[in-house]
Amino acid sequence: MLEFIQLLKQRYQAVLAQQGNESVKTSYQQRIDQLILAEAFIRKGQLIDASQQPLLHMAVVGPTQAGKSSLVNVLLNSNAAGISPLAGYTIHPQGFCNGVSLADCGGLQRYFGRFQQLQQTQLSKDRHDCYSLTENATDSGLLPHGVLWDTPDFDSIDSATYREGVIRAIALADMVILVVSKEKYADQSVWDIMAAVEELHQPTLICLNKLVEGSESIIIQSLKEKWRQARTDEFPEVVSLYYQKPGGLPDWPESRQPLLKQLANKVRLNKHPRFEQELLKRHWQTWLEPVAAEHQALNDWHELVDLMINQAMESYQRDYLNHPHHYETFQLAMTELLNLMEIPGLARILAGTRQVLTWPVRQVMKLGRKRLHVSDSSYEIALLNQIAEHTLIQLADKLLDKAEQGHQGPWWRQLNSMLRNQRQDALQDFALAAKKYHLSFQQDVDSAAHRLYYKLQEQPMVLNSLRATRATADAAVIALTLQMGGIGLHDLVIAPAMLTLTSLLAESAVGGYMHKVEADLKQNQFNAVKQALFVESLRLKLLQLPEQLSMTPHFNISPDQLRAAELQLTEKRHGLRLL
């Protein structure tokens, strides 16, 4: 799951860099923040699993100039955290080990990932991908043993540059100390961040800082209302902080000294896997909206391609297979039938004719190009190439319509551009496949001729009648001329001799069988054209186009990747069903 969340975050970041719509950019940035939080929280779970006695992590969070660093010093009973009257002074997560050593903090570098651990004095405003860990040299009577994190603000103008560090520090925390001042407690940024981390189920304490006497009751009541609007869990304890006049630091009330140690008892690390799943479930559908939209576009593309392929096959069937004047394949079978028939009385005459007319054919056969000229002159091949070209033109128009509809417009526009660029190559590949099909299908033509010839042998009277007719001799000459390229198949279809032969067969005792052979030949031809040309050639090439789209403006997460991630989402860490 961690790898998928990282992949999804990277895709969002890449797409965001190309996005021009401001509202979409805002939405995508929010999702990136959520994905960073989820990634960090999953890493937190790995940190817990890898440690026999996990450390307690506490995070002090809040808006700019709320007094976070000052409160950190009060809690640590030291001056470890740097403070400044300037807004945005703290821009890195800074951890302070209280009652534990740096050696006890193993695994934090793995948790922070690309963030580098530096000493506090090495932190630079020029780098935001780093954090520090410092041992607290004094004893704190307020804190339980663990690591207290001073975090940057999340609401200043520059906070976007170091926001990831804030999110990582909050996700690491087992308990949260929210610091707000009387000027900042109502800021929407405060409650946006508190709403975002509700699924982490961190015990929380609110510190109301920079108070003056008599103002806290009204502010606390307002805090309760804000909390209920942002979250569904119980309103936490509030500590009111007043400044000490000599030191300028907030004064922690004596009566609240055990509060943070009591709060630590509410931490439930054993429930982290469930909390992790809740966080993922809350945002899963929202995160995957653009991915699902691309998958839907891909499905629409497949359906569109299949629709165009079906329309192409309808055109082929209408304009060729079922056309009374253009269907030439069965007539070619008739010529093969004539070559199988012996014609007594004309053998000597035809022998000389064959010797002259078939010499070019024999040369072609020697070159291994039998009937290649037949393919070149075939009306079927010409029609198939026209249908393929018309299909791609129509498909390009459909893509433009999809792009103009607005939904996944850039995806459709880029696909249309790619189709235009590869259209000529696709047509050339189709033309080569058409010739190859036409030559290989001659086996089916020969098979149809042999079926008719064997049937005629069962009907000697019909066979002798065909041999006796003048039309047979003319048709034989036509057959020989066809084989050597003297005429084309389009001439054969309308040749009177071949029409006569076909008519005699149709009216004979084998007429019904002839129609069956013709129907079988057409069906085989339909299947062969669909599979070899429109499925394995044109359709396959078209379906591969989305795989070549640039990854930059698109998510390009495959359905298989998504299914694998969703399978993990429905399982608890120990294999029990969750959903």
Side-chain angles (χ1 to χ4, degrees), residues 32-61:
I32 290 172
D33 291 344
Q34 293 165 356
L35 286 164
I36 293 173
L37 180 69
E39 176 192 348
F41 200 57
I42 293 173
R43 288 183 180 273
K44 166 73 172 178
Q46 294 176 341
L47 188 64
I48 294 171
D49 291 343
S51 177
Q52 292 182 348
Q53 292 183 332
L55 288 179
L56 179 71
H57 291 272
M58 302 159 280
V60 176
V61 302

Side-chain angles (χ1 to χ4, degrees), residues 35 44 50 69 72 83 94 130 132 142 156 165 179-180 208-209 237 260 308 318 348 361 373 436 457 489 526 547 554:
L35 286 164
K44 166 73 172 178
S69 297
V72 167
I83 59 175
Q94 299 180 38
C130 48
S132 68
L142 300 177
S156 65
V179 183
V180 291
L208 187 53
N209 199 12
E237 290 274 357
L260 289 172
M308 301 309 297
R318 180 188 65 245
R348 185 173 59 182
V361 178
H373 57 279
K436 183 178 179 181
Q457 286 181 320
L489 284 174
F526 180 89
E547 299 174 7
H554 307 295

Side-chain angles (χ1 to χ4, degrees), residues 260-328:
L260 289 172
K261 294 179 180 179
Q262 294 171 359
L263 194 65
N265 294 329
K266 296 183 179 181
V267 174
R268 297 291 181 265
L269 295 182
N270 61 321
K271 294 185 178 181
H272 188 277
R274 179 165 66 85
F275 299 158
E276 189 178 301
Q277 294 286 346
E278 288 179 5
L279 177 64
L280 294 175
K281 284 171 57 182
R282 177 184 178 185
H283 300 290
W284 191 259
Q285 296 302 324
T286 303
W287 290 342
L288 293 173
E289 279 178 0
V291 178
E294 284 188 9
H295 289 176
Q296 185 59 53
L298 187 62
N299 289 336
D300 292 346
W301 169 244
H302 284 202
E303 291 177 1
L304 182 58
V305 169
D306 288 340
L307 174 65
M308 301 309 297
I309 294 298
N310 289 336
Q311 290 181 0
M313 291 306 301
E314 290 174 2
S315 298
Y316 171 71
Q317 192 162 31
R318 180 188 65 245
D319 298 334
Y320 182 69
L321 295 180
N322 296 338
H323 199 283
H325 302 305
H326 292 159
Y327 184 61
E328 60 200 13

Side-chain angles (χ1 to χ4, degrees), residues 328-339 353 357-358 360-361 364-365 369-379 438 442 445 474-493 495 498:
E328 60 200 13
T329 307
F330 190 68
Q331 298 300 334
L332 185 58
M334 294 297 98
T335 68
E336 296 297 331
L337 175 62
L338 289 172
N339 292 333
T353 305
L357 296 180
T358 64
V361 178
V364 171
M365 290 178 181
R369 296 178 354 206
K370 183 179 180 182
R371 297 190 182 93
L372 190 57
H373 57 279
V374 174
S375 297
D376 291 334
S377 64
S378 170
Y379 173 81
H438 199 273
Q442 299 310 307
V445 175
D474 293 342
V477 173
I478 289 174
L480 295 171
T481 308
L482 171 69
Q483 289 192 17
M484 55 77 66
I487 65 172
L489 284 174
H490 53 280
D491 302 311
L492 179 65
V493 172
M498 293 305 295

Side-chain angles (χ1 to χ4, degrees), residues 397-414 416:
D397 292 339
K398 297 285 187 182
L399 287 175
L400 288 176
D401 291 341
K402 290 282 189 180
E404 291 173 358
Q405 291 173 3
H407 189 61
Q408 288 294 309
W411 192 90
W412 292 108
R413 278 191 291 272
Q414 190 175 355
N416 181 54

Side-chain angles (χ1 to χ4, degrees), residues 327-463:
Y327 184 61
E328 60 200 13
T329 307
F330 190 68
Q331 298 300 334
L332 185 58
M334 294 297 98
T335 68
E336 296 297 331
L337 175 62
L338 289 172
N339 292 333
L340 295 173
M341 292 169 56
E342 291 294 334
I343 310 176
L346 295 175
R348 185 173 59 182
I349 300 173
L350 293 179
T353 305
R354 290 192 182 101
Q355 187 68 25
V356 174
L357 296 180
T358 64
W359 182 84
V361 178
R362 294 199 304 274
Q363 302 309 309
V364 171
M365 290 178 181
K366 288 178 183 178
L367 294 175
R369 296 178 354 206
K370 183 179 180 182
R371 297 190 182 93
L372 190 57
H373 57 279
V374 174
S375 297
D376 291 334
S377 64
S378 170
Y379 173 81
E380 180 189 18
I381 298 298
L383 177 64
L384 284 170
N385 288 330
Q386 290 175 8
I387 291 174
E389 184 173 11
H390 182 66
T391 297
L392 294 185
I393 292 174
Q394 283 189 312
L395 196 54
D397 292 339
K398 297 285 187 182
L399 287 175
L400 288 176
D401 291 341
K402 290 282 189 180
E404 291 173 358
Q405 291 173 3
H407 189 61
Q408 288 294 309
W411 192 90
W412 292 108
R413 278 191 291 272
Q414 190 175 355
L415 194 62
N416 181 54
S417 177
M418 189 167 294
L419 177 61
R420 288 200 311 270
N421 293 336
Q422 299 191 21
R423 175 185 165 192
Q424 200 57 40
D425 291 341
L427 291 176
Q428 289 177 358
D429 291 346
F430 184 89
L432 291 175
K435 279 193 173 184
K436 183 178 179 181
Y437 139 76
H438 199 273
L439 292 174
S440 65
F441 195 73
Q442 299 310 307
Q443 296 179 0
D444 293 75
V445 175
D446 293 346
S447 175
H450 278 83
R451 288 175 62 189
L452 284 172
Y453 181 66
Y454 295 149
K455 192 67 174 179
L456 282 172
Q457 286 181 320
E458 298 175 3
Q459 303 287 335
M461 294 183 61
V462 178
L463 179 60

